[in-house]
Short mmCIF file of all heavy atoms in Angstrom, two decimals:
data_model
loop_
_atom_site.label_atom_id
_atom_site.label_comp_id
_atom_site.label_asym_id
_atom_site.label_seq_id
_atom_site.Cartn_x
_atom_site.Cartn_y
_atom_site.Cartn_z
N ARG A 36 -2.90 -31.30 20.40
CA ARG A 36 -3.92 -32.34 20.29
C ARG A 36 -4.71 -32.34 21.60
O ARG A 36 -4.17 -32.61 22.67
CB ARG A 36 -3.28 -33.70 20.05
CG ARG A 36 -4.24 -34.88 20.18
CD ARG A 36 -5.13 -35.04 18.97
NE ARG A 36 -6.09 -36.17 19.15
CZ ARG A 36 -6.67 -36.81 18.15
NH1 ARG A 36 -6.41 -36.44 16.90
NH2 ARG A 36 -7.50 -37.79 18.38
N GLN A 38 -8.13 -33.76 21.65
CA GLN A 38 -9.10 -34.85 21.56
C GLN A 38 -8.50 -36.16 22.07
O GLN A 38 -7.30 -36.41 21.93
CB GLN A 38 -9.56 -34.99 20.11
CG GLN A 38 -10.79 -35.85 19.92
CD GLN A 38 -11.20 -35.83 18.46
OE1 GLN A 38 -10.51 -36.40 17.61
NE2 GLN A 38 -12.30 -35.17 18.15
N HIS A 39 -9.36 -36.97 22.66
CA HIS A 39 -8.92 -38.27 23.20
C HIS A 39 -8.30 -39.14 22.09
O HIS A 39 -8.82 -39.22 20.98
CB HIS A 39 -10.11 -39.00 23.81
CG HIS A 39 -9.84 -40.43 24.11
ND1 HIS A 39 -8.93 -40.84 25.06
CD2 HIS A 39 -10.36 -41.57 23.57
CE1 HIS A 39 -8.89 -42.16 25.11
NE2 HIS A 39 -9.76 -42.65 24.21
N ILE A 40 -7.21 -39.79 22.43
CA ILE A 40 -6.55 -40.69 21.49
C ILE A 40 -5.69 -41.68 22.27
O ILE A 40 -5.07 -41.33 23.29
CB ILE A 40 -5.68 -39.92 20.47
CG1 ILE A 40 -5.10 -40.88 19.43
CG2 ILE A 40 -4.58 -39.15 21.16
CD1 ILE A 40 -4.34 -40.17 18.30
N VAL A 41 -5.69 -42.92 21.82
CA VAL A 41 -4.78 -43.95 22.32
C VAL A 41 -4.18 -44.62 21.09
O VAL A 41 -4.88 -45.34 20.37
CB VAL A 41 -5.49 -44.97 23.21
CG1 VAL A 41 -4.49 -46.06 23.66
CG2 VAL A 41 -6.10 -44.30 24.42
N ALA A 42 -2.92 -44.35 20.82
CA ALA A 42 -2.27 -44.86 19.61
C ALA A 42 -0.91 -45.42 19.97
O ALA A 42 -0.11 -44.75 20.62
CB ALA A 42 -2.13 -43.76 18.56
N PRO A 43 -0.62 -46.67 19.58
CA PRO A 43 0.70 -47.25 19.86
C PRO A 43 1.81 -46.59 19.06
O PRO A 43 2.98 -46.61 19.47
CB PRO A 43 0.53 -48.72 19.49
CG PRO A 43 -0.57 -48.72 18.47
CD PRO A 43 -1.50 -47.62 18.87
N GLU A 44 1.46 -46.02 17.93
CA GLU A 44 2.48 -45.38 17.10
C GLU A 44 1.80 -44.37 16.18
O GLU A 44 0.85 -44.70 15.48
CB GLU A 44 3.22 -46.42 16.25
CG GLU A 44 4.38 -45.86 15.43
CD GLU A 44 5.58 -45.50 16.30
OE1 GLU A 44 5.69 -46.01 17.43
OE2 GLU A 44 6.41 -44.69 15.84
N CYS A 45 2.26 -43.14 16.22
CA CYS A 45 1.74 -42.12 15.31
C CYS A 45 2.83 -41.09 15.06
O CYS A 45 3.87 -41.06 15.74
CB CYS A 45 0.48 -41.47 15.86
SG CYS A 45 0.73 -40.48 17.34
N GLN A 46 2.57 -40.25 14.09
CA GLN A 46 3.54 -39.24 13.66
C GLN A 46 2.85 -37.89 13.55
O GLN A 46 1.71 -37.80 13.08
CB GLN A 46 4.10 -39.62 12.28
CG GLN A 46 5.59 -39.85 12.29
CD GLN A 46 6.13 -40.20 10.90
OE1 GLN A 46 5.58 -39.78 9.89
NE2 GLN A 46 7.19 -40.97 10.87
N VAL A 47 3.55 -36.84 13.99
CA VAL A 47 3.07 -35.47 13.83
C VAL A 47 4.11 -34.73 12.98
O VAL A 47 5.30 -34.71 13.33
CB VAL A 47 2.86 -34.76 15.18
CG1 VAL A 47 2.40 -33.32 14.95
CG2 VAL A 47 1.85 -35.52 16.03
N VAL A 92 9.36 -33.88 11.02
CA VAL A 92 8.61 -34.79 11.89
C VAL A 92 8.92 -34.37 13.32
O VAL A 92 10.04 -34.54 13.81
CB VAL A 92 8.99 -36.27 11.64
CG1 VAL A 92 8.26 -37.18 12.62
CG2 VAL A 92 8.69 -36.67 10.21
N ILE A 93 7.93 -33.79 14.00
CA ILE A 93 8.17 -33.24 15.34
C ILE A 93 7.75 -34.22 16.45
O ILE A 93 8.01 -33.95 17.64
CB ILE A 93 7.45 -31.89 15.53
CG1 ILE A 93 5.95 -32.03 15.24
CG2 ILE A 93 8.08 -30.83 14.62
CD1 ILE A 93 5.18 -30.74 15.46
N PHE A 94 7.11 -35.31 16.08
CA PHE A 94 6.79 -36.35 17.08
C PHE A 94 6.62 -37.67 16.36
O PHE A 94 5.99 -37.75 15.30
CB PHE A 94 5.52 -36.01 17.85
CG PHE A 94 5.10 -37.09 18.82
CD1 PHE A 94 5.70 -37.18 20.06
CD2 PHE A 94 4.12 -38.01 18.48
CE1 PHE A 94 5.33 -38.18 20.96
CE2 PHE A 94 3.74 -39.01 19.36
CZ PHE A 94 4.35 -39.10 20.61
N SER A 95 7.13 -38.73 16.98
CA SER A 95 6.95 -40.08 16.46
C SER A 95 7.00 -41.04 17.63
O SER A 95 8.00 -41.10 18.36
CB SER A 95 8.04 -40.42 15.44
OG SER A 95 7.84 -41.72 14.92
N GLY A 96 5.92 -41.76 17.86
CA GLY A 96 5.87 -42.69 18.98
C GLY A 96 4.47 -42.88 19.47
O GLY A 96 3.49 -42.44 18.86
N PRO A 97 4.32 -43.53 20.63
CA PRO A 97 2.97 -43.75 21.18
C PRO A 97 2.39 -42.44 21.73
O PRO A 97 3.10 -41.58 22.23
CB PRO A 97 3.22 -44.76 22.32
CG PRO A 97 4.65 -44.57 22.69
CD PRO A 97 5.37 -44.18 21.43
N LEU A 98 1.08 -42.31 21.61
CA LEU A 98 0.42 -41.08 22.04
C LEU A 98 -0.86 -41.46 22.78
O LEU A 98 -1.67 -42.24 22.30
CB LEU A 98 0.07 -40.20 20.83
CG LEU A 98 -0.64 -38.88 21.13
CD1 LEU A 98 0.21 -37.99 22.01
CD2 LEU A 98 -0.99 -38.16 19.82
N HIS A 99 -1.02 -40.85 23.96
CA HIS A 99 -2.21 -41.11 24.78
C HIS A 99 -2.70 -39.77 25.34
O HIS A 99 -1.98 -39.09 26.06
CB HIS A 99 -1.90 -42.08 25.92
CG HIS A 99 -3.09 -42.34 26.80
ND1 HIS A 99 -2.97 -42.70 28.13
CD2 HIS A 99 -4.43 -42.27 26.55
CE1 HIS A 99 -4.18 -42.85 28.65
NE2 HIS A 99 -5.06 -42.60 27.70
N VAL A 100 -3.91 -39.40 24.98
CA VAL A 100 -4.57 -38.23 25.54
C VAL A 100 -5.88 -38.72 26.13
O VAL A 100 -6.76 -39.19 25.40
CB VAL A 100 -4.84 -37.13 24.48
CG1 VAL A 100 -5.57 -35.95 25.12
CG2 VAL A 100 -3.54 -36.68 23.85
N ALA A 101 -6.00 -38.65 27.47
CA ALA A 101 -7.20 -39.16 28.14
C ALA A 101 -8.40 -38.29 27.83
O ALA A 101 -8.27 -37.08 27.60
CB ALA A 101 -6.96 -39.22 29.65
N GLN A 104 -8.69 -35.65 30.39
CA GLN A 104 -7.46 -34.90 30.65
C GLN A 104 -7.63 -33.44 30.25
O GLN A 104 -8.13 -33.13 29.18
CB GLN A 104 -6.30 -35.53 29.87
CG GLN A 104 -4.95 -34.89 30.18
CD GLN A 104 -3.81 -35.66 29.52
OE1 GLN A 104 -3.96 -36.86 29.28
NE2 GLN A 104 -2.71 -34.99 29.25
N PRO A 107 -3.65 -30.75 27.18
CA PRO A 107 -3.53 -31.43 25.89
C PRO A 107 -2.09 -31.85 25.62
O PRO A 107 -1.17 -31.46 26.33
CB PRO A 107 -3.97 -30.33 24.90
CG PRO A 107 -3.58 -29.05 25.56
CD PRO A 107 -3.77 -29.28 27.04
N ALA A 108 -1.94 -32.63 24.58
CA ALA A 108 -0.61 -33.00 24.12
C ALA A 108 -0.09 -31.88 23.21
O ALA A 108 -0.80 -31.44 22.29
CB ALA A 108 -0.65 -34.32 23.36
N GLU A 109 1.12 -31.42 23.49
CA GLU A 109 1.70 -30.31 22.73
C GLU A 109 3.03 -30.74 22.13
O GLU A 109 3.85 -31.40 22.79
CB GLU A 109 1.90 -29.09 23.62
CG GLU A 109 0.59 -28.55 24.20
CD GLU A 109 0.81 -27.34 25.08
OE1 GLU A 109 1.98 -27.08 25.45
OE2 GLU A 109 -0.18 -26.65 25.43
N PHE A 110 3.24 -30.32 20.89
CA PHE A 110 4.46 -30.70 20.16
C PHE A 110 5.10 -29.42 19.63
O PHE A 110 4.64 -28.87 18.61
CB PHE A 110 4.14 -31.66 19.02
CG PHE A 110 3.24 -32.80 19.43
CD1 PHE A 110 1.88 -32.76 19.15
CD2 PHE A 110 3.75 -33.88 20.13
CE1 PHE A 110 1.05 -33.79 19.52
CE2 PHE A 110 2.91 -34.93 20.51
CZ PHE A 110 1.56 -34.88 20.21
N LEU A 169 -1.35 -35.22 11.65
CA LEU A 169 -1.20 -36.37 12.55
C LEU A 169 -1.62 -37.60 11.77
O LEU A 169 -2.75 -37.66 11.25
CB LEU A 169 -2.06 -36.19 13.80
CG LEU A 169 -1.91 -37.25 14.90
CD1 LEU A 169 -2.15 -36.63 16.27
CD2 LEU A 169 -2.87 -38.42 14.71
N SER A 170 -0.74 -38.58 11.67
CA SER A 170 -1.00 -39.75 10.84
C SER A 170 -0.48 -40.99 11.53
O SER A 170 0.37 -40.92 12.43
CB SER A 170 -0.33 -39.59 9.46
OG SER A 170 1.05 -39.36 9.62
N PRO A 171 -0.97 -42.16 11.14
CA PRO A 171 -0.47 -43.41 11.72
C PRO A 171 1.01 -43.59 11.44
O PRO A 171 1.51 -43.25 10.36
CB PRO A 171 -1.31 -44.50 11.03
CG PRO A 171 -2.50 -43.78 10.47
CD PRO A 171 -2.04 -42.39 10.16
N GLY A 172 1.71 -44.13 12.41
CA GLY A 172 3.12 -44.40 12.22
C GLY A 172 3.34 -45.64 11.38
O GLY A 172 2.39 -46.39 11.06
N PRO A 173 4.56 -45.91 10.99
CA PRO A 173 4.84 -47.10 10.16
C PRO A 173 4.43 -48.38 10.88
O PRO A 173 4.74 -48.58 12.06
CB PRO A 173 6.36 -47.03 9.97
CG PRO A 173 6.71 -45.60 10.21
CD PRO A 173 5.74 -45.10 11.23
N GLY A 174 3.69 -49.22 10.18
CA GLY A 174 3.27 -50.49 10.74
C GLY A 174 2.07 -50.43 11.65
O GLY A 174 1.66 -51.43 12.23
N THR A 175 1.45 -49.23 11.82
CA THR A 175 0.29 -49.09 12.70
C THR A 175 -0.99 -49.35 11.92
O THR A 175 -1.12 -48.93 10.77
CB THR A 175 0.25 -47.66 13.30
OG1 THR A 175 1.47 -47.43 13.99
CG2 THR A 175 -0.92 -47.52 14.26
N ASN A 176 -1.91 -50.02 12.56
CA ASN A 176 -3.22 -50.23 11.95
C ASN A 176 -3.88 -48.87 11.73
O ASN A 176 -4.02 -48.08 12.66
CB ASN A 176 -4.09 -51.10 12.88
CG ASN A 176 -5.44 -51.42 12.24
OD1 ASN A 176 -5.77 -50.93 11.16
ND2 ASN A 176 -6.21 -52.26 12.92
N ALA A 179 -6.50 -47.50 14.07
CA ALA A 179 -6.15 -47.08 15.42
C ALA A 179 -5.95 -45.57 15.52
O ALA A 179 -6.06 -45.00 16.61
CB ALA A 179 -4.89 -47.80 15.89
N VAL A 180 -5.62 -44.93 14.44
CA VAL A 180 -5.36 -43.50 14.42
C VAL A 180 -6.15 -42.87 13.28
O VAL A 180 -6.00 -43.27 12.12
CB VAL A 180 -3.86 -43.18 14.25
CG1 VAL A 180 -3.64 -41.67 14.20
CG2 VAL A 180 -3.05 -43.79 15.37
#
Side-chain angles (χ1 to χ4, degrees):
R36 170 77 182 203
Q38 194 176 70
H39 167 66
I40 185 174
V41 178
E44 185 73 20
C45 67
Q46 242 181 29
V47 178
V92 177
I93 55 177
F94 176 81
S95 181
L98 180 61
H99 178 207
V100 178
Q104 185 173 333
E109 298 180 346
F110 312 100
L169 185 149
S170 56
T175 302
N176 184 356
V180 178

